[in-house]
Amino acid sequence: LVLGVLKTHIEDTGVVSRGMLLLASLAENDEAKKALCQGEALPLIFTAMQMHARDSVVVRCGFSAIAAMALRMPDNCDTMMAAGVGPLIIESMRSHPGSSELQRQAMIAVRNIVVRRQDFCAPLREEGVEELVVRARDTHVKCADAAFDCLRDLGCEYGGLGDQAGKGANSAYTGGSESLEERCA
């Protein structure tokens, strides 16, 4: 039912976002996540994310579904990587540096993939995922925990920032002579 609605209304960002969140919820069950990843759901999620690549909410919801389907499922991780999830993650993180929730969900997806499939660490690092995770960690307080886990499981330096998380050069919380209100206006 959900996949049919997504196919029919793939142009509608609201329907697509909510549909992918529903798929993420369904993927909490191991048998369901296997079926979703091996069936029509994964290509449909990728299509929706690519079609609405400029919409950070749609992309975030897609990463929620991907993260849920990857959790504790090495075979699903293999399927996702073969289908091109790595470049999708990298490009989305690059395109939406200001979206803390998208960055966080992307890091959770990466972590869920590499924790069971260490052989995917090197290709993701070669694509630049480490730099993107560090940038998100340094920019968004909300990303500190996911970044720590992601960097650790990628085999990267993951030293904690303590109260400096989210206060890097790209952060809205620090820098320059402008006040926070001026920078966010």
Side-chain angles (χ1 to χ4, degrees):
L1 180 63
V2 175
L3 297 177
V5 170
L6 282 174
K7 283 183 203 174
T8 303
H9 300 284
I10 197 142
E11 302 280 334
D12 185 323
T13 58
V15 171
V16 169
S17 297
R18 287 169 184 81
M20 289 192 292
L21 288 177
L22 181 55
L23 292 175
S25 293
L26 291 171
E28 291 177 11
N29 174 282
D30 287 348
E31 291 305 313
K33 74 176 74 179
K34 283 181 198 175
L36 289 169
C37 194
Q38 303 305 323
E40 294 179 88
L42 187 63
L44 192 56
I45 290 167
F46 280 23
T47 298
M49 291 174 72
Q50 291 163 341
M51 181 180 287
H52 302 289
R54 292 184 177 182
D55 188 316
S56 64
V57 174
V58 171
V59 177
R60 175 185 53 86
C61 293
F63 284 140
S64 294
I66 290 167
M69 288 192 294
L71 184 64
R72 299 183 314 274
M73 292 290 162
D75 291 343
N76 285 3
C77 298
D78 293 341
T79 301
M80 289 179 198
M81 288 297 286
V85 76
L88 180 63
I89 290 170
I90 301 300
E91 184 56 37
S92 298
M93 290 182 78
R94 282 188 181 131
S95 297
H96 299 280
S99 175
S100 62
E101 274 304 312
L102 180 149
Q103 297 289 320
R104 189 170 187 284
Q105 288 302 318
M107 288 185 271
I108 292 169
V110 168
R111 190 229 177 228
N112 288 352
I113 291 167
V114 302
V115 75
R116 296 290 174 128
R117 287 288 196 238
Q118 289 290 305
D119 51 316
F120 294 137
C121 291
L124 288 168
R125 285 193 314 260
E126 288 168 12
E127 291 290 326
V129 75
E130 180 180 7
E131 172 190 327
L132 295 167
V133 171
V134 168
R135 181 178 68 189
R137 176 199 66 190
D138 292 351
T139 303
H140 305 290
V141 173
K142 193 177 234 180
C143 292
D145 61 335
F148 179 92
D149 295 340
C150 186
L151 290 168
R152 178 195 62 219
D153 294 330
L154 280 165
C156 302
E157 175 59 42
Y158 58 90
L161 289 178
D163 63 358
Q164 293 303 305
K167 296 182 181 173
N170 300 314
S171 177
Y173 303 107
T174 65
S177 60
E178 301 171 326
S179 70
L180 178 59
E181 292 80 20
E182 291 170 328
R183 296 183 75 201
C184 294

